[in-house]
Amino acid sequence: MTQRTTTLNTKRMLGASLRAAMATKPLDKVTVSELVAATGVNRKTFYYHFVDIPDLLVWVLDDEAIRHVDDLRDQQNLAGSIDFTLRYVDENQTFLRNALDALGRERLRALLYGDIRRIVDGMIDARRAGSAAPDEGYLDLVAEFCTEGIAGQLVDRILRRSLVDRSNLRDLLVRLLDRTITAALG
């Protein structure tokens, strides 16, 4: 096993331990001692990889986002990508709510932003192929607007269970993105 694989496995073990702890208590009640005891690594190993527990939390969210985006590559359409993202939020409510409490709305929104932006940019690129597209600055503004809206919806869904069921919200977001991007390219 390479050093890189070992490092990634150690980080993921600590991340899984953090996830398990956050299922029952807020981040500020989780200790390094309990994380290292649950994983069998020592404190030095924890601090070799992470500055503190919030640093581990950000790494977990980034790592899951990377794996999430890799899974999204298998989705052939926007509706599938949005549904996949909404399902992730719904299935990880407690963890994400605790992360939101620990990091704040703006920091969590920023973590979600990059993945959502890739979805929106992909949709714009697919739609503009072969068409006379408006200038890049305008398309960047459209992508920013759409991304901010979806990120806001996801954070709102984490804060309180949305009154809109997942399939309805997916359909509304797809329709909104489709119409916005079509109008921007038209």
Side-chain angles (χ1 to χ4, degrees):
M1 194 178 305
T2 68
Q3 176 65 29
R4 185 177 176 156
T5 302
T6 302
T7 296
L8 184 59
N9 288 340
T10 300
K11 287 179 172 183
R12 285 190 174 155
M13 283 188 335
L14 288 164
S17 179
L18 177 63
R19 264 185 154 283
M22 287 177 65
T24 59
K25 58 184 157 183
L27 184 73
D28 63 350
K29 301 295 183 200
V30 178
T31 66
V32 172
S33 296
E34 82 182 271
L35 297 178
V36 298
T39 59
V41 301
N42 61 44
R43 291 179 73 81
K44 282 184 180 182
T45 300
F46 177 88
Y47 287 111
Y48 174 78
H49 295 295
F50 303 104
V51 173
D52 54 17
I53 293 174
D55 186 39
L56 170 59
L57 174 60
V58 169
W59 183 87
V60 168
L61 292 168
D62 282 340
D63 183 56
E64 288 183 357
I66 289 166
R67 288 189 276 170
H68 180 72
V69 168
D70 287 343
D71 289 341
L72 285 176
R73 287 188 185 120
D74 296 336
Q75 299 292 331
Q76 295 301 310
N77 58 48
L78 177 65
S81 296
I82 290 176
D83 191 57
F84 186 92
T85 303
L86 291 171
R87 188 172 53 252
Y88 173 82
V89 167
D90 288 351
E91 290 172 355
N92 293 280
Q93 271 293 316
T94 302
F95 175 69
L96 291 172
R97 194 169 290 130
N98 279 337
L100 181 68
D101 290 344
L103 300 174
R105 179 184 176 101
E106 192 54 34
R107 181 96 185 263
L108 185 60
R109 187 210 55 78
L111 288 168
L112 296 169
Y113 182 90
D115 302 321
I116 297 165
R117 180 65 189 251
R118 281 191 283 282
I119 294 169
V120 172
D121 284 343
M123 185 176 183
I124 289 172
D125 289 344
R127 298 280 174 92
R128 72 191 258 194
S131 70
D135 70 76
E136 288 300 315
Y138 178 69
L139 289 180
D140 188 55
L141 178 65
V142 169
E144 179 81 15
F145 178 80
C146 292
T147 301
E148 289 289 343
I150 293 171
Q153 284 296 310
L154 292 176
V155 171
D156 283 349
R157 194 165 182 90
I158 293 165
L159 280 170
R160 63 187 185 290
R161 289 297 262 189
S162 175
L163 299 177
V164 179
D165 72 26
R166 187 169 61 222
S167 64
N168 255 352
L169 183 56
R170 177 204 59 220
D171 293 345
L172 291 170
L173 290 173
V174 167
R175 187 170 1 139
L176 176 71
L177 283 172
D178 184 51
R179 289 179 179 174
T180 302
I181 293 170
T182 299
L185 293 171

